[in-house]
Amino acid sequence: MGCVGRFAPSPTGPLHAGSLVAALGSWLDARARRGRWLVRIEDVDQPRCVAGADELILRQLAACGLHPDETPLWQSTRGAVYASALDSLVAAGSAYPCGCTRRDIEETLAARGVNHERFTERPYPGTCRDGLHGKPARAWRFRTPDGVVTWHDRRLGARTQDVAREVGDFVLRRADGPWAYQLAVVVDDAAQGITDVVRGEDLADNTPRQILLQRALAVPTPRYLHLPLVRGPDGHKLSKQNGAKALDLGEPLAALRAAAAVLGLPPTRATTLGDWLAEAVALWAGMMRTPEPRSPE
Ligand code: GLU
């Protein structure tokens, strides 16, 4: 089967030096494997979306010579598909309604003496697992199976997470209506036949949740490669909040060179966009033939 990669930006603002790394990395990986590359606009969280950012991102990608092989998919058009995935999870007993507010969750965790500072998420204490106890339903949650999830990242190596303990039963549809990223991304990666997920390292700890959902929905698990992040002056992932500037459409080659350096590609002498992209694909293919560098655990 051919490789299919994707870039899945949330249209919360224009492409910048950080998001271009994920766009370029996923494009190079697909092209180096002679695969297809798709773009998906992840606009499920409407309040965070900025009007026109989707079209701007697509223009910025085009200015960089990164052209998707299919018409992009907008997640805001996919509600019926997510609803049927949720229905099948509910029917299988893998999802349930939850009536807890944030405050209920905090109070239960505090009463149980759970110190969640150590975890990236506030683990859901499972209060509504066996019923709503008369409360109105506010969200739908995944019934996370017990046990450690082990997976392989092409750059980070072997990874493990005890999702049930560290995250708990995570949300699939939020109280205020929107579909959660975890459900939408798993349904769409499967629907688009994605074989290789290449994205920023900040999303690596979402992967075990996505693998559990893939298993529950009986869809394949793609290969994963989480790329190094560009950091802002405050040391956090570069974002609009810490000063990321929109990619300059007039200087695509300069922006691509900077993104390639983050990906560990050596500089090239190419002076035109077409030559540069062709050389970058060849360099990426060469890097894939040598053993993947492993980050220290
Ligand atoms: N939409 C997510 C973001 O922009 C990326 C999702 C993914 O690549 O899985 O951060």
Side-chain angles (χ1 to χ4, degrees), residues 174-236:
R174 292 212 319 247
D176 49 350
W179 296 97
Y181 158 65
Q182 310 294 352
L183 180 75
V185 79
V186 165
V187 168
D188 286 342
D189 281 341
Q192 295 188 288
I194 304 300
T195 60
D196 291 86
V197 170
V198 177
R199 60 186 176 191
E201 195 177 319
D202 56 314
L203 292 165
D205 67 1
N206 289 257
T207 303
R209 267 172 272 179
Q210 293 170 17
I211 291 173
L212 288 176
L213 265 179
Q214 287 153 3
R215 290 178 187 160
L217 290 165
V219 297
T221 291
R223 280 183 291 260
Y224 286 98
L225 168 59
H226 288 91
L227 303 169
L229 297 181
V230 178
R231 296 192 185 274
D234 58 358
H236 290 114

Side-chain angles (χ1 to χ4, degrees), residues 129 143-149 161-165 169 212 215:
R129 263 196 157 203
R143 192 182 297 274
T144 303
D146 283 337
V148 171
V149 179
Q161 190 185 39
D162 186 338
V163 183
R165 206 169 70 89
D169 293 346
L212 288 176
R215 290 178 187 160

Side-chain angles (χ1 to χ4, degrees), residues 124-136:
Y124 180 64
T127 321
C128 296
R129 263 196 157 203
D130 56 359
L132 284 163
H133 309 287
K135 290 188 284 190

Side-chain angles (χ1 to χ4, degrees), residues 281-297:
V281 170
L283 288 167
W284 186 274
M287 288 203 325
M288 282 200 307
R289 279 193 294 274
T290 55
E292 308 268 346
R294 293 280 159 88
S295 292
E297 291 293 311

Side-chain angles (χ1 to χ4, degrees), residues 79-294:
V81 186
Y82 306 145
S84 95
L86 178 60
D87 284 349
S88 74
L89 291 170
V90 172
S94 298
Y96 63 87
C98 168
C100 296
T101 59
R102 281 174 85 89
R103 189 166 172 175
D104 294 336
I105 297 172
E106 282 292 347
E107 284 174 1
T108 309
L109 290 173
R112 291 190 192 168
V114 176
N115 171 10
H116 59 74
E117 308 288 306
R118 295 184 295 129
F119 304 137
T120 48
E121 305 288 329
R122 181 185 295 105
Y124 180 64
T127 321
C128 296
R129 263 196 157 203
D130 56 359
L132 284 163
H133 309 287
K135 290 188 284 190
R138 297 173 48 87
W140 289 85
R141 289 184 182 272
F142 180 62
R143 192 182 297 274
T144 303
D146 283 337
V148 171
V149 179
T150 301
W151 58 284
H152 174 81
D153 181 89
R154 291 168 50 200
R155 174 172 152 262
L156 304 169
R159 312 280 286 184
T160 56
Q161 190 185 39
D162 186 338
V163 183
R165 206 169 70 89
E166 296 183 27
V167 181
D169 293 346
F170 52 89
V171 171
L172 300 172
R173 183 171 202 175
R174 292 212 319 247
D176 49 350
W179 296 97
Y181 158 65
Q182 310 294 352
L183 180 75
V185 79
V186 165
V187 168
D188 286 342
D189 281 341
Q192 295 188 288
I194 304 300
T195 60
D196 291 86
V197 170
V198 177
R199 60 186 176 191
E201 195 177 319
D202 56 314
L203 292 165
D205 67 1
N206 289 257
T207 303
R209 267 172 272 179
Q210 293 170 17
I211 291 173
L212 288 176
L213 265 179
Q214 287 153 3
R215 290 178 187 160
L217 290 165
V219 297
T221 291
R223 280 183 291 260
Y224 286 98
L225 168 59
H226 288 91
L227 303 169
L229 297 181
V230 178
R231 296 192 185 274
D234 58 358
H236 290 114
K237 178 192 165 191
L238 188 65
S239 68
K240 225 175 21 189
Q241 287 70 30
N242 63 15
K245 288 200 285 294
L247 206 81
D248 182 352
L249 283 175
E251 294 275 358
L253 204 46
L256 286 166
R257 284 187 203 284
V262 175
L263 293 171
L265 290 186
T268 79
R269 284 172 205 267
T271 51
T272 67
L273 189 58
D275 287 352
W276 187 88
L277 289 169
E279 279 194 47
V281 170
L283 288 167
W284 186 274
M287 288 203 325
M288 282 200 307
R289 279 193 294 274
T290 55
E292 308 268 346
R294 293 280 159 88

